[in-house]
Every structure is written in C-alpha cells, then in structure tokens.
Amino acid sequence: MTILRLRGREFRPGEFAIMAVVNRTPDSFFDRGRTYGFPAALEAVDAAVAAGADIVDIGGVKAGPGAEVDPAEEIRRVADLVAAVRRRHPELVISVDTWRAEVGEVVAQAGADLLNDTWGGVDPELAGVAAKHGIGLVCAHAGRVAPRTRPHRIAYADVVADVVGYTVALAERAAAAGVPRESILIDPAHDFGKNTRHSLEIGRRLDELVDTGWPVLVAVSNKDFVGETLGGLPVDERHAGTMATLAISAWQGARVFRVHDAASARTALAVIGALRR
C-alpha cells in the first residue's frame, strides 16, 4: 500500500483517517437540515475537529432524490463555508462532496484539498480541476447511474469485479490527467447504484479493492444497507451496525472512513489498529 498525501499530511499504510460529514443541505437523510445554516455548519466542523477528524467532507447537495440544486446554489452553500473553515483550521484537510467541475473549481480556489466525486466521474472535467490545483480526488463507483437517482433492479455479474475495474480505471485516468497519484483514493460507494446484497458483498471482499494498491475510502455511515440488514432499522438506530462495518473495513485495509460520528469512529479504529499491530 502507498502513502496517502493530502494538504502536506501523510497517512501511512496501517494508519486510519477519519473523514467527518458536514452537509449544508436542508434535506440531509441523516441530520435533516441540522447543519444547513452557516453558523451551525461551522460549529459542526469545529466539533468534528475536536472529536478527532482528520478530514471534513462538506456537501451542498443531498445524495438521494429531492429538490433540484443547480451549480450556483451548490456553490452558494459550500464555497463560503470552505473559505471560513480554511481560515479557522489551517491544517485541516477539507474535502468537498461534488460531481461538478464548476463547483470543484470554486471550492479549490476557496481552499479545498480533496474533491469527493461520489457519482463516479460523470463530469470528466473534474479530474482536470483537481490536477490544475494539485489537490486530491476520490474515484467512486456509482453503477454508472445519473447523480441522485436510485436505479430499479440493478444487476452485476460480479459487483466487486465491476467496482475494482471501474474505480481503478478512474484513478489511472485521473493520474494521467495530472492529479498527484499519492492524493487519489478509490471508493466502492456502498448503496450508490447498488442494493443491499451488493453492498454486503463489497463489505465481505473489500480486501480486493485494497489489493489494487490505491488507498480505499469507505462511506458506510448509517446507510440503508446497514438498516435493511438489521431488519429495517431507521437512520437513528444504525450506529452499532455502522461501527461493525467500519471495523470489518479497517481490518481488511481500508484507509479513510467517512462518518457522522467522528469520536466513536476514532475510538473503534484505535482498537482495530492495535489488534492489527
């Protein structure tokens, strides 16, 4: 495994990085708009840093279906927050969850260090933005579906093979475009273009992604596959299932963990790190 470098920080093989989620959306599936207001979002970043987050991932568009958010509105929601966080936390790695190159350009200028392309390269210009600014890029697998859609009865001959092939191709394309290789991650994107069975299969075989050599990010926090696996638990009752999934992912070699509860994740991963050593 390689060293991951973001904003001058080095995350070596065997080290885990916590990526805390802060959404400036009025309709987030998890907090239902609690951090939509600017002061609340800034306070959430402060709390995540205090809880041990290495990275904060700022999003301006709900992942699932909902009200249309055009690029101008997405920029309004995230750009000023990125700039304020950059001033407030100079050493913090700031990530922005976006699939749009025009949004990526603005937030890169505002101080972002990583573009989290959850929808898997639907805008091919986004990698060029990351390359231009010398920042990182997350290359995800979303089943080749349009952003914010939930495909009906999606199928794969082998979902893990599809994830590996697609994310590695995106990562190599990003590197060829000039994105620093040591700042590229791959993400299987549990639940994105996948059903619960697919997400569980990825969880069982995550080591196959790790074996590619690219640092692996997992974003499983409170997701639907966790709730469905546990009998249909609502979002606010998925914490224990989330921690179990994080532990299995870390044991197999995942490096970055996108979570809603940074403190719990930091504690759980500290135990996993000690066991692996």
Side-chain angles (χ1 to χ4, degrees):
M1 291 191 290
T2 59
I3 293 174
L4 172 65
R5 292 188 175 92
L6 296 169
R7 192 170 182 78
R9 289 195 60 183
E10 290 189 351
F11 302 94
R12 296 182 175 275
E15 296 177 346
F16 302 135
I18 303 295
M19 172 188 274
V21 181
V22 176
N23 286 323
R24 282 213 68 197
T25 58
D27 51 0
S28 167
F29 91 99
F30 180 70
D31 63 29
R32 298 175 177 83
R34 183 181 62 82
T35 57
Y36 178 53
F38 189 90
L42 202 54
E43 289 175 8
V45 172
D46 292 345
V49 172
D54 304 288
I55 307 165
V56 169
D57 189 43
I58 295 170
V61 183
K62 177 184 177 182
E68 174 66 22
V69 180
D70 64 20
E73 174 61 15
E74 185 180 358
I75 289 169
R76 185 195 71 79
R77 293 179 181 183
V78 299
D80 288 349
L81 180 59
V82 169
V85 173
R86 180 80 293 141
R87 292 190 297 269
R88 202 174 182 103
H89 300 285
E91 304 304 317
L92 179 67
V93 178
I94 301 175
S95 170
V96 173
D97 181 353
T98 187
W99 72 88
R100 293 164 165 155
E102 58 194 296
V103 177
E105 177 64 35
V106 174
V107 299
Q109 293 181 23
D113 308 295
L114 179 66
L115 300 177
N116 183 11
D117 183 13
T118 305
W119 290 102
V122 294
D123 186 343
E125 301 302 318
L126 190 64
V129 172
K132 173 184 174 183
H133 293 277
I135 62 178
L137 182 68
V138 177
C139 298
H141 175 283
R144 304 167 186 80
V145 303
R148 308 188 67 197
T149 61
R150 290 176 177 161
H152 180 60
R153 293 184 177 176
I154 193 164
Y156 302 93
D158 182 333
V159 66
V160 177
D162 201 274
V163 168
V164 169
Y166 191 81
T167 58
V168 168
L170 279 180
E172 293 291 355
R173 187 187 313 164
V179 181
R181 291 186 73 92
E182 65 274 16
S183 302
I184 297 172
L185 302 95
I186 61 173
D187 173 11
H190 297 72
D191 280 2
F192 280 63
K194 303 170 190 71
N195 59 31
T196 291
R197 181 175 60 81
H198 296 141
S199 292
L200 289 173
E201 184 69 5
I202 290 165
R204 295 184 191 103
R205 297 167 56 193
L206 195 73
D207 58 331
E208 294 178 38
L209 275 80
V210 172
D211 288 345
T212 68
W214 295 100
V216 174
L217 180 152
V218 290
V220 298
S221 186
N222 300 299
K223 282 195 168 177
D224 286 347
F225 84 93
V226 174
E228 290 180 7
T229 299
L230 297 174
L233 290 181
V235 171
D236 57 0
E237 296 180 23
R238 299 173 185 174
H239 178 73
T242 293
M243 290 300 107
T245 309
L246 288 181
I248 293 296
S249 301
W251 188 261
Q252 293 182 80
R255 307 274 293 278
V256 180
F257 303 83
R258 185 179 185 271
V259 297
H260 296 98
D261 184 344
S264 291
R266 176 62 70 195
T267 300
L269 293 172
V271 175
I272 296 299
L275 288 169
R276 290 188 74 198
R277 287 193 295 273

